[in-house]
């Protein structure tokens, strides 16, 4: 999916923490990103299909469909596999990072997220 040169990249934040959504939205908005949010893995999956964001920031620990499960489903579905997923989580073990990559994640960041690193990671998966 190509996006217009001047269009702001759309980032979908999937996180069940309102506080985390606010923090991430502030960083992204400050850098000119168009921000969408979902508060569950299920809602995130629906929004990816309906809104076609350029990138997804996915929390792992959520009730219902967790971030690993949602990432796996998105990366294996031909309709959504082109949308890169960056996992953003408090889980900082190497095994979690490797498991996230195996589910199809293109990036892995731990909370609290460094704003510069977040933007750099998004830009690298978009290019």
């Amino acid at each position: 999916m190509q996006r217009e040169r001047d269009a702001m990249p759309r980032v979908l934040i999937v996180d069940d923490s309102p506080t985390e959504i606010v923090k991430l939205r502030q960083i992204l908005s400050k850098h000119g990103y168009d921000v969408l949010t979902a508060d569950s893995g299920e809602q995130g999956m629906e929004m990816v299909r309906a809104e076609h964001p350029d990138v997804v920031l996915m929390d792992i620990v959520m009730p219902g469909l967790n971030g690993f499960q949602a990432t796996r489903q998105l990366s294996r579905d031909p309709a959504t596999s082109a949308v890169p997923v960056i996992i953003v989580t408090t889980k900082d073990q190497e095994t979690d990072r490797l498991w996230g990559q195996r589910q199809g994640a293109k990036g892995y960041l731990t909370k609290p997220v460094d704003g510069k690193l977040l933007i750099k990671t998004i830009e690298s998966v978009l290019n």
Side-chain angles (χ1 to χ4, degrees):
M1 182 174 87
Q2 288 290 346
R3 65 173 188 276
E4 299 167 31
R5 277 262 179 257
D6 301 330
M8 290 299 170
R10 299 176 86 195
V11 179
L12 170 61
I13 301 168
V14 183
D15 200 311
D16 61 329
S17 162
T19 306
E20 203 60 41
I21 286 176
V22 167
K23 285 182 198 169
L24 291 169
R25 182 193 292 273
Q26 285 174 337
I27 295 167
L28 295 167
S29 296
K30 191 170 79 176
H31 287 86
Y33 289 95
D34 183 13
V35 180
L36 304 167
T37 63
D39 61 10
S40 70
E42 293 86 356
Q43 186 185 24
M45 301 271 302
E46 289 170 20
M47 288 192 68
V48 171
R49 290 189 179 102
E51 301 292 335
H52 309 287
D54 295 294
V55 66
V56 176
L57 301 181
M58 181 76 71
D59 185 26
I60 292 176
V61 182
M62 296 182 284
L65 191 68
N66 73 39
F68 285 141
Q69 294 165 325
T71 299
R72 181 172 54 243
Q73 289 181 31
L74 290 172
S75 68
R76 301 212 170 128
D77 181 343
T80 57
S81 63
V83 179
V85 176
I86 298 169
I87 291 176
V88 181
T89 181
T90 55
K91 295 173 76 66
D92 65 353
Q93 299 295 313
E94 189 59 26
T95 52
D96 297 317
R97 191 176 296 273
L98 291 170
W99 187 244
Q101 289 171 342
R102 289 191 49 198
Q103 305 319 302
K106 302 296 185 223
Y108 195 104
L109 298 170
T110 52
K111 298 174 184 174
V113 174
D114 173 83
K116 287 186 176 87
L117 185 57
L118 175 65
I119 299 305
K120 187 174 163 188
T121 303
I122 291 171
E123 287 172 355
S124 76
V125 302
L126 289 177
N127 292 331

